[in-house]
Amino acid sequence: MQFVSTRGGGKDAPVGFRQAVFQGLAPDGGLYHPLEEPDLSGIIRGFSPSTSFTELAFRMTRALFSQELTEDQADQLCRRAFPFEPALSRLGPGHLLLELFHGPSCAFKDFGASYLANVMQTFLDGRSQRAIILTATSGDTGSAVAQAFHGKDAIDVVILYPSGRVSPSQEQQLTTLGGNVHALEVQGSFDDCQSLVKQAFTDPALSKDLPLTSANSINLGRLIPQSFYYLWAASRDLESLDPGSSAPGTSVRSASASGASSSSPAAPRPGKSGPGTFCVPSGNFGNLTAGILARRWGMAADGFIAATNANDVVPQYLETGDYQPRPSIPTHANAMDVGSPSNFERMSALFQGDFHAMARLIRGESSNNQQILDTMKDYYQRQGVYLCPHTAAGVRAGDRALKEGTAQRVITLATAHPAKFPEIARLATGTEPAMPQRLADVMSRTKQATLIDPTLEALGAFLRDSFRS
Ligand SMILES: *Cc1c(COP(=O)(O)O)cnc(C)c1O
C-alpha cells in the first residue's frame, strides 16, 4: 500500500508505510492518505464472530502492508500491540455500545498508539536506529502514547504538558512511567507546548542532531488500526446481541449488494449497506475517518453519525456544505474540543471533495453541555450505566437517529472509560464510577517530571543533554 499527500494533487511521489509513519506529515504540509483503495471484501467476508481481534488485526496488516512487513513481523506486531480487545454491549433496543476503553489508558486512543509504537519498534529492530517521539498533550492523549511506547527499547518518548493545567489523574498518567518516557512540565499553556514541538521539528540543527518524530493523531500508524475495531464489530453476531432491530434489505441506503465489482479503480466504491450505523464521538475526526476507510475496503455499514459537542464545525458543514473552522470552545467533553479538525482534510480527500457524497454517508449531530449531562444522568438513573461525557454525546446522537428512524441499528463507539472523568460524572449523576485497577494503580506512583521554560532553547538543551550520544 502506498500513500500520497492530500495536497499533492496526485503529482507527488508516493511513499511506503514506513516513511509515512516516521515522517508523520507530508513535506508539503498535507496528510498522507492511501493512493489506491484496495478491495479487501474477500478478506473482510472471512471474518467471523470467532475471529479474535488480534487475528483480525494480523490479517488486515498482512493485506495492507505485506510489502513492508513479513508474516512473522505482522504476527508479532499484532500480538504485542493488542493484549486488550474491544467489547460490545447492548444499551437498549437497536443501540449497541462498542467499548474501546479496555486498554492501558482506558481510551480508544490505546488501539492506535499501541499499534504505532509496535510498528515503529518493528521497523527500527535490527537496524541499530533509534527514534525520539516528541509530543504535546493537553492531558488526555499523552497517556495513551506514554503507555504505548513505554519499554520500547529503540524509542524514547518526550511528552510536553502545560504545568498546572492538566488534572491530577492526567498528570499521574503522564509522569509516573519513567524509563524511556520523559515528561516535560512546561511553564506555559498547551499552545506553548504545541508550538515548541513544531519549532523543534522545523529547527534544522535539532533535526540534524536527533531522530525526532511525531506520534500525533494524524499519523497513519495510528489511523489505520482504528479501522480494525469497526471491522471487528461488523463481524460479530449483532443479531443475537440485539435481536430484531436490523431490517436487512430495507436499509436506509441503496447500494449494490455485491459491493465493488463494477466500479472503476479511480472512483470510490459505493460501499455496502450492512448491519448498522456507526455513531462516532468526534473531535479531530481520526476515528470517523478510520471507519470510512474500513467501509471503502469492503466492510458493510449503513452509514455514520459524526457526533460532536458544541464544537460543531463538521455537523454544520454536513448541513450546509460550508466549512468554517473556528477557535474551539471548552466543553465537558474536552477531548473533542476542536474547532479546526486536523483529519477533515483527509476525510474530504476520501470523498474527492464531493460534499454530497460525504453528506449521503455521514450525518452530523452536536450536543451541548446540558444535553451531555442529561444523557449521562438519564442512563445512570434508568439503567445504572455510567457514560463518559464524549460517549454520551454519541449515545444521544444515536438515540435521536433511532427515534427519527434514520437508522435501524446504531453502534456507538464508547471512546473512554467513564472513570477517566470523575468530575463530570459527579456533576451529572452526583456519584462517581469505580476506577479500574489500572487507573487506580497510577494514582499511587511517584511523579517524575522536568520543569522547563516555554522556550526552544530550554527544550533543545533537554533533548541534547538526554539523547545526544
Ligand atoms: C480523542 C478523543 C475523542 C475524539 O477522537 P477523534 O479521533 O479526535 O475524533 C473522543 N473521545 C475521547 C475520549 C477522546 O480521547
Side-chain angles (χ1 to χ4, degrees):
M1 201 177 196
Q2 294 199 297
F3 304 93
V4 288
S5 169
T6 45
R7 300 193 188 162
K11 289 192 277 290
D12 50 333
V15 303
F17 188 46
R18 179 193 176 100
Q19 190 176 337
V21 157
F22 282 104
Q23 212 162 289
L25 216 58
D28 61 7
L31 311 186
Y32 282 118
H33 79 130
L35 173 64
E36 64 276 289
E37 291 182 349
D39 181 358
L40 305 178
S41 39
I43 288 168
I44 290 170
R45 264 196 308 275
F47 299 146
S48 77
S50 63
T51 310
S52 70
F53 184 76
T54 312
E55 173 67 20
L56 183 150
F58 163 72
R59 288 194 220 163
M60 289 302 293
T61 300
R62 281 301 285 162
L64 294 166
F65 307 123
S66 59
Q67 284 165 349
E68 294 184 72
L69 294 164
T70 65
E71 185 165 352
D72 244 23
Q73 284 176 321
D75 180 54
Q76 291 280 326
L77 157 59
C78 294
R79 280 177 205 280
R80 289 196 182 125
F82 302 120
F84 52 92
E85 288 213 325
L88 269 171
S89 58
R90 186 171 186 263
L91 210 50
H95 205 160
L96 296 171
L97 212 52
L98 175 55
E99 299 175 1
L100 302 174
F101 50 69
H102 299 289
S105 86
C106 299
F108 81 89
K109 291 188 177 76
D110 287 327
F111 286 89
S114 188
Y115 190 83
L116 173 66
N118 284 281
V119 164
M120 284 187 170
Q121 176 75 37
T122 305
F123 281 141
L124 292 168
D125 256 354
R127 292 203 175 209
S128 68
Q129 286 176 342
R130 300 190 56 76
I132 301 168
I133 306 287
L134 209 53
T135 189
T137 184
S138 57
D140 223 39
T141 63
S143 59
V145 171
Q147 293 276 3
F149 283 91
H150 186 226
K152 299 274 170 281
D153 56 18
I155 305 169
D156 281 289
V157 190
V158 179
I159 294 177
L160 289 77
Y161 72 95
S163 180
R165 303 197 199 187
V166 303
S167 76
S169 78
Q170 287 172 331
E171 185 167 31
Q172 283 297 109
Q173 293 196 51
L174 296 172
T175 59
T176 59
L177 286 169
N180 65 330
V181 177
H182 314 269
L184 290 185
E185 183 175 355
V186 177
Q187 292 182 303
S189 64
F190 171 60
D191 289 337
D192 291 328
C193 296
Q194 252 186 332
S195 149
L196 278 178
V197 168
K198 269 194 192 142
Q199 289 176 53
F201 283 130
T202 50
D203 183 80
L206 265 184
S207 39
K208 187 166 121 323
D209 292 348
L210 300 164
L212 299 180
T213 190
S214 78
N216 58 25
S217 71
I218 54 115
N219 195 301
L220 275 175
R222 276 179 64 170
L223 185 76
I224 300 240
Q226 290 178 188
S227 64
F228 300 166
Y229 43 70
Y230 289 89
L231 296 164
W232 181 88
S235 64
R236 298 307 98 176
D237 184 358
L238 302 184
E239 198 49 43
S240 76
L241 268 164
D242 173 38
S245 290
S246 80
T250 63
S251 172
V252 219
R253 288 164 218 288
S254 59
S256 68
S258 62
S261 44
S262 64
S263 62
S264 76
R269 278 186 292 277
K272 279 191 286 185
S273 46
T277 298
F278 285 99
C279 178
V280 190
S282 294
N284 269 318
F285 284 82
N287 219 359
L288 182 54
T289 303
I292 296 164
L293 278 178
R295 192 167 185 276
R296 284 292 169 76
W297 295 336
M299 175 185 78
D302 291 332
F304 297 87
I305 300 170
T308 67
N309 57 26
N311 294 280
D312 61 352
V313 173
V314 172
Q316 284 293 334
Y317 169 76
L318 290 167
E319 200 132 296
T320 63
D322 191 19
Y323 186 62
Q324 292 291 348
R326 52 176 184 266
S328 67
I329 48 179
T331 75
H332 289 330
N334 66 2
M336 312 195 317
D337 292 349
V338 181
S340 178
S342 55
N343 276 292
F344 183 77
E345 187 167 335
R346 196 176 252 147
M347 254 167 86
S348 190
L350 274 170
F351 291 95
Q352 300 176 339
D354 181 347
F355 161 71
H356 295 287
M358 194 195 285
R360 269 197 305 276
L361 192 66
I362 311 170
R363 292 159 27 87
E365 176 80 40
S366 75
S367 300
N368 63 30
N369 272 344
Q370 194 56 50
Q371 291 167 324
I372 287 172
L373 291 179
D374 287 347
T375 307
M376 292 171 72
K377 180 177 175 191
D378 194 41
Y379 272 89
Y380 176 70
Q381 290 190 337
R382 275 193 300 135
Q383 297 177 218
V385 171
Y386 285 105
L387 299 171
C388 101
H390 313 80
T391 306
V395 166
R396 178 179 163 276
D399 278 343
R400 286 203 59 178
L402 287 168
K403 206 164 156 203
E404 289 167 359
T406 50
Q408 323 286 322
R409 174 189 283 138
V410 172
I411 303 157
T412 295
L413 275 60
T415 52
H417 193 287
K420 288 196 89 166
F421 307 93
E423 301 83 1
I424 316 288
R426 184 161 284 286
L427 210 55
T429 68
T431 64
E432 286 176 19
M435 256 198 203
Q437 195 57 44
R438 60 197 184 286
L439 276 189
D441 285 347
V442 167
M443 296 309 287
S444 61
R445 293 201 205 116
T446 315
K447 167 179 165 180
Q448 301 169 262
T450 308
L451 201 63
I452 68 160
D453 287 331
T455 63
L456 183 63
E457 290 70 46
L459 175 60
F462 173 85
L463 293 173
R464 288 206 164 86
D465 288 350
S466 312
F467 305 119
R468 220 169 137 192
S469 43

